[in-house]
Amino acid sequence: MVLAHHDSLFARAPLFDERIYLGAFARRLAGGSAWADPWFLYPPPFAAAGAGLLRLFGETGLLALLRALNLAAVALLVTRGVAFLPGGRWTRRLVAAAIGALSPAIGDAFAFGNLSPLFGALALLPSPGPPARPRWRAGCSERRSSPSRPAPCSCRSSPRPAGGSGA
C-alpha cells in the first residue's frame, strides 16, 4: 500500500486538504478563527488538537504524523473489511492489500491529504464504557422491574383476529 501511494505519502509540500488544515491550525495558534477559511469544515476539538500538534511538531512533523495515522487507519479499515471473507489469513491479507493499493477512494484520500479514513477508523475503536442497557422494551410502555427479571408486559402479545390465523 505504501508503494502504491508513495508520491502522496512522501510529498514534500502539503497536499490540497493539508493546506486547509495547516492554515486553520496556524490561525488558531495566532488567536484567530480556524473557520476563516470556508473549506475548513471540522469541529473545534480537531482545530484545537491540530493547533497543539502544529506547535509541538511543526509543519513537517505534523504532516508526517497525519499521513502515518491515515495510513494506519486505512490498514485498519481494509483489514476489518475483509475479516469475514472465507479463506485463510494470507488470503484476507492479500485482499486487504489489494483494496488498500487499488481503491480509487483510498487513492484520492491520500492524493488530497484527506483524513476521511482516519475519522472512519476512529468510529471502529471501542467505546470508553460498556453500552447502556435499554430500560424500555420496544413497543412497550411498561418498565422492567429489574435488569435480570423483566416485568410482564401487557402489550407484548397482541390478540389474534377472530375467526382465523390472521394470515
Side-chain angles (χ1 to χ4, degrees):
M1 191 166 38
V2 173
L3 291 176
H5 304 293
H6 180 273
D7 293 345
S8 301
L9 292 170
F10 295 100
R12 291 184 187 263
L15 303 170
F16 182 83
D17 286 356
E18 292 170 343
R19 286 191 299 265
I20 295 168
Y21 306 144
L22 291 173
F25 301 157
R27 283 189 300 279
R28 170 83 187 229
L29 276 178
S33 172
W35 297 274
D37 181 344
W39 287 101
F40 186 73
L41 306 172
Y42 298 90
F46 180 65
L53 291 170
L54 180 61
R55 183 175 351 122
L56 185 64
F57 295 117
E59 186 176 297
T60 304
L62 177 58
L63 289 178
L65 176 65
L66 291 176
R67 291 173 185 174
L69 288 172
N70 220 20
L71 181 63
V74 168
L76 174 68
L77 290 170
V78 297
T79 302
R80 290 269 181 100
V82 300
F84 298 104
L85 286 178
R89 180 185 327 161
W90 286 104
T91 301
R92 289 190 293 276
R93 285 181 179 173
L94 286 172
V95 171
I99 292 170
L102 302 174
S103 166
I106 292 170
D108 284 350
F110 285 137
F112 287 97
N114 188 282
L115 296 178
S116 295
L118 177 59
F119 291 118
L122 288 175
L124 295 178
L125 295 178
S127 63
R133 292 182 132 178
R135 294 184 171 274
W136 300 86
R137 289 188 195 184
C140 185
S141 61
E142 296 178 20
R143 285 192 156 219
R144 291 182 175 187
S145 58
S146 76
S148 60
R149 266 191 340 202
C153 184
S154 59
C155 60
R156 187 182 213 174
S157 58
S158 58
R160 291 190 179 177
S165 64

